[in-house]
Amino acid sequence: MIARPNPRLQATTSRLEGLTLPEGGSWARAARSAALARVEGMGLPVRRDEYWRFTDPQGLVTPEPMPAAPLPEEEAPAFAEVEALRLVFVDGRFDPQASDPLDLDGLEIERLADVADRDIHWAQGLYGVLESEGQNPVLRPLAALNSAFATDGIVIHVTGAVSRPVHLVYRHEAADSDAMLHHLVRVDAGASLTLLESGPAAARFNSVVEVDLAEGARLHHVRTQGRDHDRRTATHIFARLADEADFRSFTLTFNGVLTRNEAVVWLNGDRAVAHLAGAAVGDGDFHHDDTVFVTHAAESCESRQVFKKVLRNGATGVFQGKILVRAGAQKTDGYQLSQALLLDERSQFLAKPELEIYADDVKCSHGSTAGAIDETALFYLRSRGVPESDAKDLLTLAFLREALQEIPDARLAEDLAGRLEGWLARRR
Amino acid sequence: MLDIRNLHVELEEDAKPILKGLDLSVGAGQVHAIMGPNGSGKSTLSYVLAGRDGYTMTEGTAHLGDIDLLALEPEERAAAGLFLAFQYPVEIPGVGNMTFLRTALNAQRKARGQEEVSSADFLKLVRAKASSLKIDADMLKRPVNVGFSGGEKKRNEILQMAVLEPRMCILDETDSGLDVDAMRLVSEGVNALRDEGRAFLVITHYQRLLDHITPDVVHIMANGRIIRTGGPELAREVETNGYADILAEAQ
Ligand SMILES: Nc1ncnc2c1ncn2[C@@H]1O[C@H](COP(=O)(O)OP(=O)(O)OP(=O)(O)O)[C@@H](O)[C@H]1O
Ligand SMILES: [Mg+2]
């Protein structure tokens, strides 16, 4: 009998061959071996997987990354005006020299590499725990791969009032860099934090953030993914919310040949709120995928998804968003919107919005549209003297603004709006 | 000021003729009114002059001064001083009314080689014009026409006209949907702009507007042509007798 080649097994074996499980203290070794066992059990994703129907995972799983030329750093990098605790990672490695000291009132902040060497640490109750839980009902092998092999990242425990945001700055310097970062954020009852991330990180970047919010805890997360065109990125955010916790996450993506951003959120406590939003712009071989899974497991929770993409010159946008309302999650308020603005006929938007509801007293709505620039609005602007290309930019920005409005801090929203204007102006 | 000769226009889509040899000439400083049955082509004429897509000009000319309007892009026509107050003003979610006005004003100034207006001067200018039209600050902050009532949209058109100061103003049924007070405000807005160097083409179904804005000339349009031209008394005749007699006479 001739064995048929198994693409998943092949991809998994050849990827794992080049990797060694990092050393570490006892909890970290245990967590990483368990994650490796998960990866071996499920195998890495292949194109024929239902969850990867619209996005080819190939570039994310090959043993070596495809090279990506780094762009010189921007003159005014994102959030440069925001006073924050800045922590710099170069090609996925923490750079203490370039970073602020790991010290901020109201929180304990450590490097994963240090935490993992300890024999006991609170991180063991979170590291790989939400990721593992997030493997059901849909497999997310790249996140398990990250839990097994990531050596760096930031571990934050928010205990009180924090005066400044924490800003993770990701620099990409080597054309063949292959980075994995794993961050943990635990916010105690009533405490709150703003977490910023910016930059392209590496030629290939795999990131996992696990977020645990206690009663009334709040995390505002805003990130921009860099402008480097050839980079490939897979990110996962896993967030678990207790009663009245509040989680907001916004992602702005410029360019990138392959980006897959997954968010997995559990509303486990009553009256918890989660808002997930994103704006993405790209052209040519740009491929951008937002994959979201929100589970309502408690009463009177609110979830909101607002994702917008501007696609041109044959770019591809993907949205897979699911709201699962468990039995007993009464008074759920779920909202989901995904829209693409297609600036030409070669660009495409593939959307799979899903609702799965097992409670009877819920309010859930979803909408997904793809369309061109509104010709009537375009003519109206031109009839007032606005040149066609300016009018198109104005309408494009207006389209994206609905997503930007999801950012609670207006200053951050304006910073990102300015960046989008710049992108539109450069790309004329 | 505006000179239209033998204009023939068809829909691009199905080559259906809409304007069938239209002649119209509006002199500087004048106000002309156009009345006519529904579907006679009044809005089509205004769109064609403003440069909207979807029409084919098969014959004729249209000039603004000595500028060949039909050869220009819509934004160039605007910069040359043409303005159309839309019968159905367009909502633009996500674009603030102020941003819209300032972008438009500065784009026109730039096209004419003039300096941009500073934010402070612009704010002063808009506030003054808005208050005379009883448009409040909240409306200025909102996205263009989004959530505006019918009458508010029409007043917003006049505000744009007042800020942009065009020399040829076409008003397409700006009076419909206005209450009595709004009608007076809008008319005052128009009258304030009347001067030697500016002309108006006012499309309307009702004599009422023309009580406030006294026209120099009234045209009746039917089936894509001007079939009768007269003074203000022509509008009153239509108001009392309808179009039947005029149409029959033109046959
Ligand atoms: N895009 C279009 N597609 C199909 N028919 C059109 C289109 N534009 C105009 N028409 C037709 O052309 C004719 C003239 O329309 P237009 O809107 O110019 O009339 P009007 O004189 O402004 O009427 P009203 O007084 O009702 O505003 C009508 O028969 C209308 O149905
Ligand atoms: Mg009309």
Side-chain angles (χ1 to χ4, degrees):
Chain A
M1 212 176 85
I2 299 167
R4 265 190 293 163
N6 176 338
R8 187 189 318 282
L9 189 60
Q10 275 176 359
T12 309
T13 312
S14 50
R15 177 67 174 127
L16 292 179
E17 250 167 25
L19 293 166
T20 33
L21 218 52
E23 302 281 310
S26 55
W27 77 264
R29 277 204 311 271
R32 284 164 173 158
S33 320
L36 176 58
R38 283 196 290 281
V39 178
E40 289 170 335
M42 63 183 100
L44 290 175
V46 292
R47 185 62 194 263
R48 61 156 203 263
D49 291 341
E50 179 61 21
Y51 217 42
W52 291 86
R53 189 152 61 117
F54 301 132
T55 297
D56 188 350
Q58 167 84 10
L60 299 168
V61 302
T62 49
E64 298 299 327
M66 298 280 284
L71 288 180
E73 197 171 349
E74 286 174 276
E75 270 171 41
F79 314 129
E81 307 289 302
V82 180
E83 222 203 296
L85 183 84
R86 293 176 78 247
L87 304 174
V88 178
F89 293 80
V90 179
D91 292 321
R93 283 194 70 78
F94 181 62
D95 181 346
Q97 265 72 50
S99 302
D100 291 336
L102 289 171
D103 180 23
L104 188 61
D105 281 350
L107 53 75
E108 295 155 20
I109 184 164
E110 296 165 274
R111 197 177 160 183
L112 176 66
D114 298 334
V115 166
D117 281 339
R118 261 20 112 58
D119 278 329
I120 309 177
H121 194 275
W122 66 262
Q124 84 180 85
L126 185 56
Y127 189 94
V129 172
L130 297 186
E131 171 264 298
S132 164
E133 206 160 308
Q135 301 297 345
N136 182 26
V138 194
L139 296 178
R140 308 174 197 279
L142 292 169
L145 185 77
N146 179 299
S147 294
F149 295 102
T151 54
D152 228 332
I154 287 295
V155 176
I156 304 174
H157 178 191
V158 186
T159 53
V162 180
S163 55
R164 291 184 279 162
V166 171
H167 180 184
L168 308 179
V169 180
Y170 301 138
R171 294 200 182 122
H172 171 203
E173 288 183 359
D176 59 351
S177 53
D178 194 12
M180 285 194 205
L181 289 175
H182 196 121
H183 308 299
L184 304 179
V185 181
R186 179 173 137 196
V187 186
D188 284 353
S192 68
L193 175 73
T194 297
L195 177 67
L196 309 175
E197 298 180 86
S198 67
R204 184 167 69 182
F205 184 41
N206 176 331
S207 110
V208 168
V209 185
E210 291 177 283
V211 175
D212 191 17
L213 301 182
E215 286 77 20
R218 200 174 74 189
L219 179 69
H220 287 180
H221 171 238
V222 183
R223 67 178 167 183
T224 72
Q225 298 177 302
R227 305 155 299 143
D228 303 23
H229 185 72
D230 292 326
R231 68 187 167 75
R232 288 172 170 78
T233 305
T235 73
H236 290 81
I237 297 172
F238 298 93
R240 174 170 69 189
L241 281 69
D243 285 2
E244 291 177 28
D246 179 342
F247 177 54
R248 317 273 165 129
S249 177
F250 179 90
T251 303
L252 174 67
T253 311
F254 290 108
N255 312 332
V257 76
L258 176 54
T259 303
R260 163 94 158 197
N261 292 328
E262 294 195 26
V264 183
V265 175
W266 297 272
L267 296 151
N268 286 352
D270 294 343
R271 294 173 304 284
V273 174
H275 289 193
L276 306 165
V281 294
D283 46 9
D285 51 4
F286 174 81
H287 182 107
H288 188 276
D289 175 335
D290 282 303
T291 291
V292 178
F293 200 114
V294 175
T295 303
H296 282 260
E299 285 191 20
S300 306
C301 292
E302 176 191 314
S303 73
R304 214 177 133 78
Q305 302 170 38
V306 177
F307 288 89
K308 300 250 192 173
K309 299 177 206 284
V310 173
L311 305 167
R312 64 180 173 200
N313 297 325
T316 302
V318 175
F319 176 79
Q320 307 190 99
K322 177 154 180 170
I323 304 175
L324 169 64
V325 181
R326 293 241 170 93
Q330 303 297 6
K331 306 256 184 286
T332 283
D333 183 354
Y335 177 80
Q336 184 193 80
L337 177 74
S338 65
Q339 291 184 321
L341 179 61
L342 307 176
L343 294 180
D344 54 65
E345 283 173 6
R346 291 182 301 134
S347 299
Q348 58 170 347
F349 181 53
L350 307 161
K352 191 180 174 200
E354 276 183 285
L355 297 177
E356 195 177 327
I357 301 175
Y358 298 101
D360 47 23
D361 183 14
V362 303
K363 196 176 88 189
C364 274
S365 62
H366 66 110
S368 181
T369 62
I373 288 258
D374 177 352
E375 286 297 327
T376 315
L378 185 62
F379 173 63
Y380 192 62
L381 283 164
R382 295 180 71 191
S383 79
R384 297 304 181 242
V386 183
E388 185 173 11
S389 55
D390 293 355
K392 279 188 174 162
D393 283 1
L394 212 55
L395 293 174
T396 304
L397 209 56
F399 168 80
L400 292 167
R401 222 169 253 285
E402 197 180 349
L404 288 170
Q405 274 162 2
E406 296 293 311
I407 302 173
D409 182 334
R411 242 172 10 127
L412 296 178
E414 271 321 296
D415 182 329
L416 299 188
R419 262 151 228 293
L420 282 165
E421 265 177 76
W423 184 87
L424 290 166
R426 277 197 304 278
R427 292 296 177 121
R428 283 256 179 85
Chain B
M1 172 83 65
L2 180 66
D3 231 326
I4 304 169
R5 301 258 166 92
N6 189 31
L7 188 61
H8 289 256
V9 170
E10 342 177 307
L11 294 177
E12 206 170 68
E13 207 177 14
D14 54 4
K16 179 184 165 194
I18 308 288
L19 301 184
K20 304 166 183 171
L22 184 131
D23 290 290
L24 183 66
S25 191
V26 183
Q30 289 190 322
V31 174
H32 286 218
I34 296 189
M35 304 180 83
N38 294 132
S40 53
K42 304 180 298 295
S43 292
T44 303
L45 171 65
S46 68
Y47 285 142
V48 165
L49 293 174
R52 187 159 125 164
D53 280 344
Y55 307 101
T56 318
M57 276 61 78
T58 51
E59 236 185 296
T61 57
H63 284 85
L64 179 63
D66 50 14
I67 299 169
D68 176 5
L69 271 184
L70 303 182
L72 301 184
E73 296 295 330
E75 55 268 32
E76 296 170 326
R77 302 181 195 199
L82 183 80
F83 181 90
L84 167 63
F86 284 54
Q87 181 173 3
Y88 305 108
V90 179
E91 298 187 5
I92 314 184
V95 178
N97 219 1
M98 285 298 251
T99 309
F100 168 64
L101 271 171
R102 196 168 61 171
T103 309
L105 179 63
N106 282 331
Q108 290 199 14
R109 293 183 64 90
K110 193 172 158 201
R112 294 192 291 257
Q114 296 163 319
E115 243 179 74
E116 294 200 349
V117 175
S118 76
S119 301
D121 288 348
F122 174 75
L123 214 62
K124 262 213 312 244
L125 173 76
V126 173
R127 286 217 180 110
K129 309 265 185 194
S131 82
S132 65
L133 285 162
K134 296 232 161 54
I135 290 177
D136 58 32
D138 179 55
M139 261 172 74
L140 292 174
K141 273 190 227 137
R142 283 181 3 218
V144 180
N145 293 326
V146 176
F148 288 26
S149 74
E152 286 170 344
K153 285 180 181 168
K154 297 300 179 80
R155 270 186 282 154
N156 200 30
E157 294 290 289
I158 301 304
L159 173 66
Q160 292 166 35
M161 187 171 84
V163 168
L164 297 172
E165 299 187 320
R167 59 188 166 122
M168 182 66 229
C169 310
I170 304 171
L171 278 60
D172 190 359
E173 291 196 33
T174 302
D175 55 333
S176 27
L178 292 183
D179 64 35
V180 180
D181 295 330
M183 171 94 73
R184 188 171 316 116
L185 284 174
V186 162
S187 308
E188 281 166 8
V190 170
N191 288 329
L193 285 170
R194 282 180 84 156
D195 74 31
E196 299 292 284
R198 185 171 285 128
F200 291 85
L201 186 60
V202 180
I203 298 169
T204 182
H205 286 296
Y206 307 106
Q207 165 63 31
R208 205 169 54 146
L209 179 71
L210 305 179
D211 287 339
H212 296 286
I213 307 170
T214 316
D216 299 293
V217 180
V218 175
H219 307 274
I220 307 298
M221 182 164 172
N223 196 16
R225 307 170 62 169
I226 302 294
I227 56 163
R228 177 103 169 255
T229 294
E233 74 288 347
L234 185 54
R236 284 191 285 274
E237 188 189 324
V238 167
E239 184 87 357
T240 21
N241 302 334
Y243 293 111
D245 292 350
I246 301 172
L247 288 174
E249 196 178 302
Q251 288 286 302

mmCIF file of all heavy atoms in Angstrom, chain A residues 7-26:
data_model
loop_
_atom_site.group_PDB
_atom_site.id
_atom_site.type_symbol
_atom_site.label_atom_id
_atom_site.label_comp_id
_atom_site.label_asym_id
_atom_site.label_seq_id
_atom_site.Cartn_x
_atom_site.Cartn_y
_atom_site.Cartn_z
ATOM 1 N N PRO A 7 -0.569 16.487 3.711
ATOM 2 C CA PRO A 7 0.021 17.829 3.737
ATOM 3 C C PRO A 7 0.109 18.399 5.151
ATOM 4 O O PRO A 7 1.067 19.078 5.484
ATOM 5 C CB PRO A 7 -0.926 18.673 2.875
ATOM 6 C CG PRO A 7 -2.066 17.815 2.515
ATOM 7 C CD PRO A 7 -1.771 16.406 2.902
ATOM 8 N N ARG A 8 -0.882 18.107 5.993
ATOM 9 C CA ARG A 8 -0.850 18.665 7.342
ATOM 10 C C ARG A 8 0.321 18.082 8.137
ATOM 11 O O ARG A 8 1.073 18.804 8.776
ATOM 12 C CB ARG A 8 -2.158 18.381 8.076
ATOM 13 C CG ARG A 8 -2.221 19.093 9.431
ATOM 14 C CD ARG A 8 -3.396 18.663 10.284
ATOM 15 N NE ARG A 8 -4.621 18.527 9.544
ATOM 16 C CZ ARG A 8 -5.395 19.529 9.163
ATOM 17 N NH1 ARG A 8 -5.037 20.767 9.446
ATOM 18 N NH2 ARG A 8 -6.501 19.309 8.487
ATOM 19 N N LEU A 9 0.466 16.754 8.024
ATOM 20 C CA LEU A 9 1.533 16.081 8.760
ATOM 21 C C LEU A 9 2.889 16.589 8.284
ATOM 22 O O LEU A 9 3.786 16.885 9.068
ATOM 23 C CB LEU A 9 1.411 14.565 8.566
ATOM 24 C CG LEU A 9 2.321 13.714 9.455
ATOM 25 C CD1 LEU A 9 2.017 13.963 10.926
ATOM 26 C CD2 LEU A 9 2.150 12.227 9.124
ATOM 27 N N GLN A 10 2.997 16.705 6.946
ATOM 28 C CA GLN A 10 4.256 17.192 6.382
ATOM 29 C C GLN A 10 4.593 18.589 6.876
ATOM 30 O O GLN A 10 5.712 18.858 7.315
ATOM 31 C CB GLN A 10 4.169 17.219 4.850
ATOM 32 C CG GLN A 10 4.494 15.880 4.234
ATOM 33 C CD GLN A 10 4.321 15.899 2.727
ATOM 34 O OE1 GLN A 10 3.932 16.917 2.150
ATOM 35 N NE2 GLN A 10 4.608 14.780 2.091
ATOM 36 N N ALA A 11 3.603 19.475 6.803
ATOM 37 C CA ALA A 11 3.837 20.861 7.215
ATOM 38 C C ALA A 11 4.214 20.914 8.690
ATOM 39 O O ALA A 11 5.139 21.627 9.094
ATOM 40 C CB ALA A 11 2.592 21.707 6.967
ATOM 41 N N THR A 12 3.515 20.130 9.494
ATOM 42 C CA THR A 12 3.749 20.147 10.933
ATOM 43 C C THR A 12 5.126 19.605 11.259
ATOM 44 O O THR A 12 5.895 20.208 12.012
ATOM 45 C CB THR A 12 2.660 19.323 11.650
ATOM 46 O OG1 THR A 12 1.383 19.773 11.200
ATOM 47 C CG2 THR A 12 2.745 19.486 13.158
ATOM 48 N N THR A 13 5.454 18.461 10.663
ATOM 49 C CA THR A 13 6.750 17.842 10.947
ATOM 50 C C THR A 13 7.890 18.762 10.539
ATOM 51 O O THR A 13 8.831 18.975 11.298
ATOM 52 C CB THR A 13 6.873 16.498 10.187
ATOM 53 O OG1 THR A 13 5.680 15.765 10.424
ATOM 54 C CG2 THR A 13 8.062 15.708 10.665
ATOM 55 N N SER A 14 7.790 19.318 9.328
ATOM 56 C CA SER A 14 8.940 20.117 8.904
ATOM 57 C C SER A 14 9.042 21.424 9.678
ATOM 58 O O SER A 14 10.136 21.898 9.937
ATOM 59 C CB SER A 14 8.945 20.356 7.390
ATOM 60 O OG SER A 14 7.700 20.830 6.991
ATOM 61 N N ARG A 15 7.906 21.974 10.108
ATOM 62 C CA ARG A 15 7.977 23.183 10.934
ATOM 63 C C ARG A 15 8.583 22.870 12.309
ATOM 64 O O ARG A 15 9.449 23.592 12.798
ATOM 65 C CB ARG A 15 6.577 23.785 11.107
ATOM 66 C CG ARG A 15 6.507 25.016 12.010
ATOM 67 C CD ARG A 15 7.231 26.194 11.383
ATOM 68 N NE ARG A 15 7.062 27.432 12.145
ATOM 69 C CZ ARG A 15 8.054 28.208 12.567
ATOM 70 N NH1 ARG A 15 9.311 27.860 12.335
ATOM 71 N NH2 ARG A 15 7.819 29.323 13.219
ATOM 72 N N LEU A 16 8.149 21.769 12.914
ATOM 73 C CA LEU A 16 8.608 21.452 14.268
ATOM 74 C C LEU A 16 10.070 21.007 14.298
ATOM 75 O O LEU A 16 10.763 21.187 15.303
ATOM 76 C CB LEU A 16 7.709 20.384 14.905
ATOM 77 C CG LEU A 16 6.272 20.838 15.208
ATOM 78 C CD1 LEU A 16 5.453 19.704 15.809
ATOM 79 C CD2 LEU A 16 6.274 22.046 16.155
ATOM 80 N N GLU A 17 10.526 20.428 13.191
ATOM 81 C CA GLU A 17 11.917 19.971 13.113
ATOM 82 C C GLU A 17 12.904 21.083 13.447
ATOM 83 O O GLU A 17 13.911 20.860 14.110
ATOM 84 C CB GLU A 17 12.224 19.493 11.690
ATOM 85 C CG GLU A 17 12.408 17.999 11.583
ATOM 86 C CD GLU A 17 12.382 17.538 10.130
ATOM 87 O OE1 GLU A 17 12.695 18.360 9.239
ATOM 88 O OE2 GLU A 17 12.028 16.372 9.904
ATOM 89 N N GLY A 18 12.614 22.276 12.957
ATOM 90 C CA GLY A 18 13.549 23.384 13.139
ATOM 91 C C GLY A 18 13.422 24.084 14.489
ATOM 92 O O GLY A 18 14.119 25.066 14.735
ATOM 93 N N LEU A 19 12.544 23.611 15.341
ATOM 94 C CA LEU A 19 12.293 24.325 16.603
ATOM 95 C C LEU A 19 12.656 23.458 17.797
ATOM 96 O O LEU A 19 12.485 22.233 17.759
ATOM 97 C CB LEU A 19 10.812 24.694 16.701
ATOM 98 C CG LEU A 19 10.287 25.722 15.694
ATOM 99 C CD1 LEU A 19 8.761 25.737 15.690
ATOM 100 C CD2 LEU A 19 10.824 27.114 16.005
ATOM 101 N N THR A 20 13.190 24.079 18.853
ATOM 102 C CA THR A 20 13.414 23.329 20.090
ATOM 103 C C THR A 20 12.639 23.997 21.208
ATOM 104 O O THR A 20 12.585 25.224 21.297
ATOM 105 C CB THR A 20 14.901 23.309 20.504
ATOM 106 O OG1 THR A 20 15.483 24.539 20.099
ATOM 107 C CG2 THR A 20 15.626 22.133 19.891
ATOM 108 N N LEU A 21 12.077 23.179 22.061
ATOM 109 C CA LEU A 21 11.301 23.693 23.179
ATOM 110 C C LEU A 21 12.229 24.477 24.107
ATOM 111 O O LEU A 21 13.266 23.970 24.509
ATOM 112 C CB LEU A 21 10.660 22.507 23.907
ATOM 113 C CG LEU A 21 9.239 22.700 24.436
ATOM 114 C CD1 LEU A 21 8.296 23.206 23.374
ATOM 115 C CD2 LEU A 21 8.746 21.391 25.023
ATOM 116 N N PRO A 22 11.880 25.720 24.425
ATOM 117 C CA PRO A 22 12.790 26.524 25.256
ATOM 118 C C PRO A 22 12.934 25.930 26.655
ATOM 119 O O PRO A 22 12.028 25.276 27.162
ATOM 120 C CB PRO A 22 12.096 27.888 25.334
ATOM 121 C CG PRO A 22 10.977 27.861 24.354
ATOM 122 C CD PRO A 22 10.653 26.435 24.070
ATOM 123 N N GLU A 23 14.115 26.182 27.254
ATOM 124 C CA GLU A 23 14.332 25.832 28.663
ATOM 125 C C GLU A 23 13.406 26.695 29.512
ATOM 126 O O GLU A 23 12.822 27.654 29.033
ATOM 127 C CB GLU A 23 15.781 26.156 29.058
ATOM 128 C CG GLU A 23 16.844 25.461 28.229
ATOM 129 C CD GLU A 23 17.033 24.025 28.683
ATOM 130 O OE1 GLU A 23 17.191 23.819 29.901
ATOM 131 O OE2 GLU A 23 17.000 23.127 27.828
ATOM 132 N N GLY A 24 13.360 26.410 30.798
ATOM 133 C CA GLY A 24 12.574 27.269 31.675
ATOM 134 C C GLY A 24 12.342 26.603 33.010
ATOM 135 O O GLY A 24 12.781 25.464 33.231
ATOM 136 N N GLY A 25 11.684 27.318 33.906
ATOM 137 C CA GLY A 25 11.337 26.762 35.206
ATOM 138 C C GLY A 25 10.256 25.706 35.055
ATOM 139 O O GLY A 25 9.776 25.452 33.949
ATOM 140 N N SER A 26 9.854 25.108 36.154
ATOM 141 C CA SER A 26 8.984 23.937 36.027
ATOM 142 C C SER A 26 7.614 24.281 35.440
ATOM 143 O O SER A 26 7.109 23.551 34.598
ATOM 144 C CB SER A 26 8.842 23.236 37.373
ATOM 145 O OG SER A 26 8.395 24.156 38.344
#
